[in-house]
Amino acid sequence: MTSASVPDLGKALQGAVNRAVDALVTGYGDRLDGVGVVLTAPVRAVETLLQHVPVPAFVLAVAAGAWLATRRIGFTLAMAILPLALAGLGVWGEAMQSLALVAVAVVLVVLLGLPLGVAAARLPRLGKVLAPLYDLMQTIPSFVYLIPVAMLLGLGRAPALVATLIYALPPFARLTELGLRGVDAGLVEASRALGLRPRQAFWLIELPLARPVILQGLNQAIMMALAMVVVASMIGAKGLGEIVLLGLQRADPGLGFVGGLGIVLLAVLLDRMAQAVLGARRTDG
């Protein structure tokens, strides 16, 4: 048997994907435009809100949150310096654009990932089905699904939000499932023996016990959403990633460094604040 007689599965798959995307664009173009508008609206709203917040007010809010979460003056001052550094670099507007995209993406991750994690914890077979899907979402290069998403939703915030959601959802859903499966079954049975209904046992016993693991998943989702900032800029999303992309396109290493440093500062701010706030909640719980 010659190699020419062996079916070229790669070309067959390529053609099937192209035909599927073309059919969706041709048959549902108007509806997809509506979906794009719906996805873009919350990002624009949060972005507009953040852009109208003065830098001093934002710094004071961060400092207040850091102090209430840790009661440590050093940590509070360090967190207050980070947004000041963003403003000093001249990338404040772009940082707020990236923050808006990350914030909306994380809210969607929680809204989708929490039910998926609960369902997978309740139904082991569903968990087995979702596991390889999560693996695919995390391991497949983001540029692979950016192409069809951009063709379906156009360029801009909508495809960037979808791409960020695909990348950030698996860790949160997985850790939600893991946290709920780790709850002691004896405690659940005891609560039901005392008269609690299954729904009451879930909200009063299972979810509070699984909360530390779920919050860890939330922190990972925030970091993974921010990791998509540069990739999102390649399909028209504004923000710090666009500065890095412009530096690459113009062969301007200084501009790229400024954009990259801005991403680092925003990442440190989000990571440390998330750990402080979530850690304070775990302590209070």
Side-chain angles (χ1 to χ4, degrees), residues 67-152:
W67 173 255
L68 292 174
T70 64
R71 304 291 181 177
R72 300 203 314 262
I73 187 65
F75 179 80
T76 301
L77 291 176
M79 292 300 99
I81 289 174
L82 291 174
L84 286 175
L86 286 170
L89 288 174
V91 296
W92 181 259
E94 291 81 0
M96 295 302 101
Q97 290 174 336
S98 295
L99 181 58
L101 179 63
V102 171
V104 174
V106 170
V107 170
L108 291 178
V109 164
V110 173
L111 293 177
L112 294 175
L114 189 60
L116 283 174
V118 173
R122 292 284 186 271
L123 304 170
R125 291 185 180 180
L126 177 61
K128 292 181 180 179
V129 172
L130 290 175
L133 180 60
Y134 292 151
D135 292 337
L136 182 65
M137 293 168 67
Q138 286 191 290
T139 57
I140 189 172
S142 55
F143 297 102
V144 174
Y145 53 76
L146 279 180
I147 299 172
V149 169
M151 290 181 63
L152 295 173

Side-chain angles (χ1 to χ4, degrees), residues 21 32 39 43 49 53 56 61 70 92 116 120 129 157 163 177-178 226-227 234 243 256 260 270 274:
V21 173
L32 291 172
L39 292 174
V43 181
L49 177 63
V53 176
T70 64
W92 181 259
L116 283 174
V129 172
R157 296 171 178 84
E177 177 186 354
L178 179 64
L226 188 58
M234 297 182 180
I243 299 178
L270 290 177

Side-chain angles (χ1 to χ4, degrees), residues 15-48:
V17 171
N18 288 337
R19 288 191 296 270
V21 173
D22 291 341
L24 287 173
V25 173
T26 303
Y28 302 94
D30 295 336
R31 296 180 183 179
L32 291 172
D33 288 341
V35 172
V37 172
V38 171
L39 292 174
T40 302
V43 181
R44 285 185 179 275
V46 175
E47 181 181 319
T48 301

Side-chain angles (χ1 to χ4, degrees), residues 16 24 27 42 66 107 113 119 144 153 155 157-158 178 188-189 210 253 267 275 278:
L24 287 173
V107 170
V144 174
L153 299 177
L155 299 178
R157 296 171 178 84
L178 179 64
V188 178
E189 292 298 328
Q275 289 186 14
L278 298 179

